[in-house]
Each structure stands twice: as structure tokens, then as C-alpha cells.
Amino acid sequence: MSIQVEKINREQVSQILLSEESHFLDLKSIDIKPAKLTRSISAFANASGGEVYIGIDETEIDGKNQRTWRGFADQEDANAHLQVFQELFPLGQYC
């Protein structure tokens, strides 16, 4: 099954960056190891679903967390992360 690439606009990026993490939303850097990503996926499976955004960096500046968007350079760079989802939930089955 091929995965469709979706482009998002600046407003959507801003919305994601301002989102509060919760039981149903998690923001991760592209530096997260795919094996560690399984923890978030497992937590969402136990909570009946959620959203994971990969490509969000968070740094502390003057005591406040600042988020920035840093996506993958190309689609192939995301393969290991996508394989984690594919192994747990074959694409097209709730993922």
C-alpha cells in the first residue's frame, strides 16, 4: 500500500506547534529512535487512539519551551518510523 504525502500550510504547522500534549496527542522529534516510538503507539492503543506528530523539536529558551518544525529531508528518511507503525498496525487498519 502506498502512502500519500500531504503538504500542510503555515496555519496547520502553527496549530500543531501550539498543540498541548495529552493522552491523545504526542509530539516527537525526528531523532526519536523507532523502537522508542513503540511506547507512544502502545499508549495510544491502550487509550483507543491518538495522534503522533514526528518532526517537532522542543528546546527551552529563557525557561519556556519553544517548538520548531523539523521534518524529514525526504520521504525515504521516514521509512524506519513508518515500519514501526506497519508492523503493529498494517496500514489501512486503524492507522
Side-chain angles (χ1 to χ4, degrees):
M1 169 182 256
S2 66
I3 299 172
Q4 183 176 341
V5 175
E6 296 281 336
K7 292 193 181 260
I8 62 173
N9 61 40
R10 291 182 199 275
E11 183 180 324
Q12 291 168 312
V13 170
S14 293
Q15 211 172 17
I16 293 167
L17 293 176
L18 293 172
S19 297
E20 292 296 322
E21 291 183 295
S22 68
H23 294 295
F24 301 102
L25 178 74
D26 209 355
L27 306 172
K28 299 292 183 191
S29 167
I30 61 171
D31 298 325
I32 188 170
K33 301 284 186 226
K36 190 172 180 186
L37 186 58
T38 60
R39 294 179 189 170
S40 294
I41 296 170
S42 176
F44 287 145
N46 291 330
S48 298
E51 297 179 38
V52 178
Y53 291 95
I54 302 172
I56 310 298
D57 288 332
E58 195 169 72
T59 55
E60 189 174 315
I61 300 173
D62 296 328
K64 291 184 81 175
N65 285 337
Q66 301 289 322
R67 293 183 180 151
T68 54
W69 180 276
R70 181 173 58 103
F72 295 98
D74 61 48
Q75 296 174 42
E76 297 298 316
D77 291 344
N79 280 347
H81 294 78
L82 290 171
Q83 286 172 349
V84 169
F85 285 95
Q86 175 65 24
E87 288 175 20
L88 296 173
F89 306 100
L91 292 175
Q93 294 182 5
Y94 311 110
C95 181

